[in-house]
Amino acid sequence: MPSTGPPGETVLPDEPTAPTEAFQRPFPGQLDSWNRAWEKPQIGGSRVSAVRFETEQQAVDAARFALRLRSRHGVDTFPVDGVPGALGIRVVQLAGLDLQPPDVGPYADWVYVVYGNTVIEVASSELTDDPGHESVAGLVRQVHSAAAG
């Protein structure tokens, strides 16, 4: 897990919990998960979650499901430079309220990458001034460096 969060965000206690709605119901082979999160002073923040499965295929299937879940409100997809296999999606932050037009922030960025039998889910929310996805991409690169190291 990254030890340094995005600038201006404060680290929260680590949690051994299911990270998001995508992983709330146990998937076949889901073993455990872990979260590290940072919060912004006003609202929003960032989170890195690791969800471990019995097999790599189960992890891939879960990551695909999570991306499909996010795609309902997606406005853009993006790669993360230097992290093979990472796929990001930008979604409208207030999608559940059906109030927010797709071309007006705030947004949330989600990135998924699979390392063996583990899905890494990285998210940053309340993004109004991050057109390059750097809040989430920086965390993904930290995870990648740790996984490769």
Side-chain angles (χ1 to χ4, degrees):
M1 291 289 191
S3 56
T4 305
E9 295 186 20
T10 305
V11 69
L12 298 172
D14 291 348
E15 296 181 81
T17 60
T20 64
E21 64 183 312
F23 299 103
Q24 288 298 316
R25 66 180 179 123
F27 274 83
Q30 186 171 331
L31 299 173
D32 52 19
S33 62
W34 196 261
N35 295 325
R36 179 166 292 161
W38 297 265
E39 65 181 351
K40 293 181 178 180
Q42 302 300 319
I43 188 171
S46 301
R47 184 182 61 246
V48 177
S49 302
V51 184
R52 193 168 57 102
F53 293 85
E54 292 174 357
T55 69
E56 183 173 353
Q57 187 58 54
Q58 290 167 333
V60 168
D61 292 345
R64 286 181 178 152
F65 174 81
L67 278 166
R68 278 195 309 272
L69 184 68
R70 302 274 169 242
S71 69
R72 296 177 296 173
H73 304 291
V75 295
D76 188 22
T77 60
F78 56 94
V80 177
D81 292 338
V83 183
L87 180 60
I89 185 165
R90 175 160 280 186
V91 299
V92 291
Q93 184 71 39
L94 304 174
L97 301 176
D98 292 328
L99 297 173
Q100 183 179 348
D103 58 342
V104 177
Y107 299 102
D109 283 349
W110 297 81
V111 175
Y112 295 89
V113 62
V114 176
Y115 293 100
N117 66 335
T118 303
V119 177
I120 303 297
E121 176 185 68
V122 182
S124 285
S125 66
E126 292 299 322
L127 302 171
T128 55
D129 57 355
D130 188 5
H133 313 285
E134 194 50 41
S135 292
V136 73
L139 290 171
V140 174
R141 284 191 284 274
Q142 285 187 57
V143 169
H144 183 69
S145 292

